[in-house]
Amino acid sequence: MDKIAVLIPCYNESKTVAKVVTDWKQELPEAVIYVYDNNSSDNTAELAEAAGAVVRHEYQQGKGNVIRRMFREIDAECYIMIDGDDTYPAEYGRQMADLVLQKKTDMVVGDRLSSTYFEENKRPFHNFGNSLVRGSINRLFRTNIRDIMTGYRAFSYLFVKSFPVLSKGFEIETEMSIHAVEKNMRIENVIIEYRDRPEGSESKLNTYSDGLKVLKTIFRLYKNYRPMGFFGGMAAIMTVVAVGLFIPILMKYIHTGLVPNFPTLIVCGFIEMAAIISFFAGLILATIVEKDRQQFEFRLNMIDAQFKQFLK
């Protein structure tokens, strides 16, 4: 088992990967630097290996697929995940590793948004999207993670081996954040400096398509992790609509003794039936989620026992 493993997922980062590997070898000389090449068409893998990294390959395209492979194959006391584009300085690595190794933090988030991100990043829609995602998740899940989509994080062994990677692409960071919150894991925020990509280095993110995937991920995970809030909210909306349609019919009946709008009354009934079904669906699923949390704690104890065996 490695003491510290630095994980660098890469796709066509030949302009920056050697510098990133060199910086991390200087900052954490005891760490093992892993570069996972994701079908690069340039010489990213060769440059990383020449700089001293352990180079491996993931042939399924997408950052989520690379992270899944890394988490499966590598055993370490502390994992540091970093992008290969040289936008995150290595000098914060020691502080983040110490939080994992000494304070038993499960996930350390490198917070760009509280420092230089909005000045350095030249893509205004990315700035807006980061703020939107951060605000949405912190409100929906009642947490205070300062940067949801940062690629600079540190993890414990327990987090890595208990995290089910479902996303295939850049929405993986959102999934990590919500998983840590929902499983009551210890989270710390570390404010880091952010610098924009160097000239000639191109971002792989598509503002609109990747942003839409992130929003879909938030929607899916809120439904899965907070079913009572999701289906209960739907039930409340449908009840308000049904009541809004029913009140005029009720008022006419009180004044005239007649029900002139039977089609509307029937629609009200169907909407309210759907609301009741939605409410009880949320109730049942919330019970299932609670049972899953209990089972997760048992699985976490098994992983912890395995971790202690590794350390012996």
Side-chain angles (χ1 to χ4, degrees), residues 89-249:
E91 53 260 33
Y92 300 94
R94 178 68 63 187
Q95 179 186 357
M96 296 171 77
D98 287 345
L99 285 170
V100 173
L101 296 171
Q102 297 176 15
K103 293 185 67 176
K104 307 302 181 185
T105 304
D106 291 299
M107 183 174 73
V108 183
V109 176
D111 174 16
R112 311 160 296 170
L113 304 187
S114 298
S115 61
T116 57
Y117 181 78
F118 294 108
E119 292 77 27
E120 287 287 324
N121 192 341
K122 305 304 188 294
R123 295 156 291 185
F125 282 108
H126 282 210
N127 298 343
F128 171 76
N130 271 286
S131 299
L132 175 64
V133 170
R134 178 178 63 176
S136 300
I137 288 179
N138 284 336
R139 286 186 179 87
L140 288 173
F141 293 91
R142 298 177 184 178
T143 186
N144 188 35
I145 299 178
R146 304 310 303 161
D147 191 346
I148 301 295
M149 298 178 66
T150 178
Y152 197 176
R153 298 170 189 254
F155 307 104
S156 68
Y157 180 88
L158 290 180
F159 179 94
V160 166
K161 298 306 180 183
S162 68
F163 174 55
V165 182
L166 301 178
S167 300
K168 297 179 181 179
F170 285 99
E171 62 272 27
I172 184 69
E173 285 97 353
T174 304
E175 192 174 327
M176 288 174 173
S177 301
I178 295 175
H179 173 79
V181 170
E182 277 303 296
K183 299 308 182 185
N184 198 31
M185 292 187 164
R186 181 177 174 82
I187 304 170
E188 294 271 1
N189 297 291
V190 171
I191 297 177
I192 63 167
E193 298 295 317
Y194 174 87
R195 54 196 178 216
D196 204 7
R197 281 174 168 268
E199 189 175 349
S201 176
E202 295 183 3
S203 173
K204 315 304 182 300
L205 281 170
N206 183 294
T207 302
Y208 303 104
S209 64
D210 287 318
L212 184 60
K213 289 177 184 176
V214 168
L215 293 176
K216 286 171 64 178
T217 299
I218 295 172
F219 178 84
R220 171 175 59 83
L221 293 176
Y222 184 70
K223 173 179 66 68
N224 292 345
Y225 284 130
R226 300 288 175 90
M228 195 63 224
F230 181 82
F231 289 101
M234 289 181 60
I237 292 170
M238 286 188 284
T239 297
V240 169
V241 172
V243 170
L245 293 173
F246 178 71
I247 287 176
I249 298 172

Side-chain angles (χ1 to χ4, degrees), residues 7-162:
L7 312 181
I8 310 176
C10 281
Y11 172 64
N12 288 346
E13 299 290 2
S14 60
K15 293 186 179 297
T16 55
V17 68
K19 180 179 183 301
V20 172
V21 172
T22 301
D23 288 350
W24 279 95
K25 287 181 75 66
Q26 292 175 351
E27 182 65 29
L28 295 173
E30 74 274 28
V32 181
I33 316 295
Y34 293 92
V35 170
Y36 273 67
D37 182 64
N38 194 205
N39 301 316
S40 295
S41 57
D42 58 14
N43 58 340
T44 294
E46 292 81 0
L47 290 170
E49 189 170 13
V54 176
V55 176
R56 297 179 181 175
H57 298 270
E58 170 54 50
Y59 298 103
Q60 280 189 289
Q61 199 68 41
K63 187 175 183 179
N65 292 322
V66 180
I67 299 300
R68 182 186 297 108
R69 179 69 60 190
M70 288 175 161
F71 283 5
R72 284 178 182 174
E73 293 184 351
I74 299 169
D75 294 319
E77 293 182 49
C78 172
Y79 302 77
I80 297 178
M81 185 180 76
I82 191 78
D83 291 340
D85 56 9
D86 195 32
T87 55
Y88 300 115
E91 53 260 33
Y92 300 94
R94 178 68 63 187
Q95 179 186 357
M96 296 171 77
D98 287 345
L99 285 170
V100 173
L101 296 171
Q102 297 176 15
K103 293 185 67 176
K104 307 302 181 185
T105 304
D106 291 299
M107 183 174 73
V108 183
V109 176
D111 174 16
R112 311 160 296 170
L113 304 187
S114 298
S115 61
T116 57
Y117 181 78
F118 294 108
E119 292 77 27
E120 287 287 324
N121 192 341
K122 305 304 188 294
R123 295 156 291 185
F125 282 108
H126 282 210
N127 298 343
F128 171 76
N130 271 286
S131 299
L132 175 64
V133 170
R134 178 178 63 176
S136 300
I137 288 179
N138 284 336
R139 286 186 179 87
L140 288 173
F141 293 91
R142 298 177 184 178
T143 186
N144 188 35
I145 299 178
R146 304 310 303 161
D147 191 346
I148 301 295
M149 298 178 66
T150 178
Y152 197 176
R153 298 170 189 254
F155 307 104
S156 68
Y157 180 88
L158 290 180
F159 179 94
V160 166
K161 298 306 180 183
S162 68

